Amino acid sequence: MEQAFFQAPSTFVGTVELKVEDLERSIQFYTEIIGLQVIEQSEQKAVLSANGKQALLTIEQPPSIQPKSKATTGLYHFALLLPDRTSLAKVLKHLADRGIKLGAADHLVSEALYLNDPDGNGIEIYRDLPSKTWTWYDGKVTMTVDPLDSKGILAELNGVQWEGLPAETIMGHIHLHVHDLDQARRFYCDGLGFGVTTDQLNQALFLSSNGYHHHIGLNTWKGTDAPPASEENAGLKRYALVFPSEVERYQAAQRLKQLGYVVEMEDEQLVTRDPSGNRLLLDVQSY
């Protein structure tokens, strides 16, 4: 993991907040299966961390929650980034031992595992290959979906056992369903300042800050007529974007307003929605 992509001058994804149908069920999944730890808990909400301090994920059970919709915009997956390949090997063996159904891929920039939580929220757990090995051409990074070398990864273990996610685990990126890529590009690139690192057949865009392969993925795989999810549905509540400074956050908020998007204070936090209804908290890195 290269920390430069997750500190100033980068803008990156912070805490992801989910709505779930059954809080206790989700706590059990995220602690026993994923390997996070609870650092705060109330009757309706839990805050989860890898290092015992930094919140990576919050899960909340609203009073009148409905199942996650399958035909709306919203979360495709959030992605937990591990520090090294041995950590990925430990996660792979643990999940396989637990009989968890997995997807897997070698993306040339990363090696990734995919699974769903009990509500159908997508999760990626991955490790990055060194950025010096990534291939760039005309400002775009080469990413593929090749078979994962599971045997090679498991060979890294040498008897090391899984003990939950390592403390260095961070939120690597988020991937969202949207209904219109041109509108999304305007919001995330012209407004928030991200750059396009690759696109796929006019159906997906990958965006980053400071030369990462992607901090944000966007796709129209649910259809260009997909409506936003209802507030009552399980799924993404909102996610945080962490800006390097107050100045850069202010500039991004002003650009969004000039483009016609609403940015407002909510509980002393700066929030907005993308054109597909996905909610964002505009945060600032603390030093």
Side-chain angles (χ1 to χ4, degrees), residues 88-153:
L88 185 65
K90 289 191 283 186
V91 170
L92 175 57
K93 184 176 188 304
H94 161 70
L95 295 175
D97 288 347
R98 296 295 294 263
I100 303 300
K101 183 179 179 181
L102 291 174
D106 180 340
H107 296 301
L108 295 184
V109 297
S110 63
E111 295 179 311
L113 306 174
Y114 296 92
L115 67 160
N116 290 327
D117 78 359
D119 289 279
N121 296 303
I123 305 166
E124 177 181 346
I125 302 176
Y126 74 112
R127 74 102 180 184
D128 277 334
L129 276 69
S131 62
K132 64 184 179 183
T133 69
W134 304 349
T135 300
W136 293 82
Y137 178 75
D138 198 23
K140 304 290 176 65
V141 68
T142 301
M143 292 194 291
T144 63
V145 184
D146 291 338
L148 188 68
D149 179 16
S150 299
K151 289 184 178 179
I153 291 171

Side-chain angles (χ1 to χ4, degrees), residues 21-189:
E21 289 190 76
D22 185 322
L23 183 63
E24 289 304 319
R25 178 182 70 176
S26 291
I27 289 173
Q28 183 177 14
F29 173 83
Y30 279 106
T31 54
E32 296 181 10
I33 303 300
I34 300 301
L36 293 168
Q37 54 187 289
V38 176
I39 56 172
E40 293 179 35
Q41 187 175 349
S42 63
E43 189 174 338
Q44 291 185 315
K45 182 178 178 181
V47 181
L48 298 145
S49 172
N51 64 9
K53 297 177 288 186
Q54 179 187 5
L56 293 183
L57 185 73
T58 70
I59 49 177
E60 178 180 344
Q61 181 183 337
S64 57
I65 188 72
Q66 299 297 314
K68 180 177 171 66
S69 172
K70 296 181 179 179
T72 63
T73 60
L75 182 69
Y76 179 49
H77 63 242
F78 65 87
L80 297 169
L81 174 58
L82 304 173
D84 51 47
R85 202 180 198 213
T86 301
S87 299
L88 185 65
K90 289 191 283 186
V91 170
L92 175 57
K93 184 176 188 304
H94 161 70
L95 295 175
D97 288 347
R98 296 295 294 263
I100 303 300
K101 183 179 179 181
L102 291 174
D106 180 340
H107 296 301
L108 295 184
V109 297
S110 63
E111 295 179 311
L113 306 174
Y114 296 92
L115 67 160
N116 290 327
D117 78 359
D119 289 279
N121 296 303
I123 305 166
E124 177 181 346
I125 302 176
Y126 74 112
R127 74 102 180 184
D128 277 334
L129 276 69
S131 62
K132 64 184 179 183
T133 69
W134 304 349
T135 300
W136 293 82
Y137 178 75
D138 198 23
K140 304 290 176 65
V141 68
T142 301
M143 292 194 291
T144 63
V145 184
D146 291 338
L148 188 68
D149 179 16
S150 299
K151 289 184 178 179
I153 291 171
L154 291 173
E156 301 274 336
L157 282 173
N158 292 321
V160 179
Q161 297 298 309
W162 185 82
E163 298 176 339
L165 291 180
E168 301 87 351
T169 303
I170 62 174
M171 191 64 68
H173 64 266
I174 194 166
H175 194 148
L176 304 168
H177 292 296
V178 298
H179 74 268
D180 187 294
L181 287 181
D182 288 335
Q183 290 182 16
R185 187 196 302 259
R186 187 168 181 259
F187 178 89
Y188 284 99
C189 297

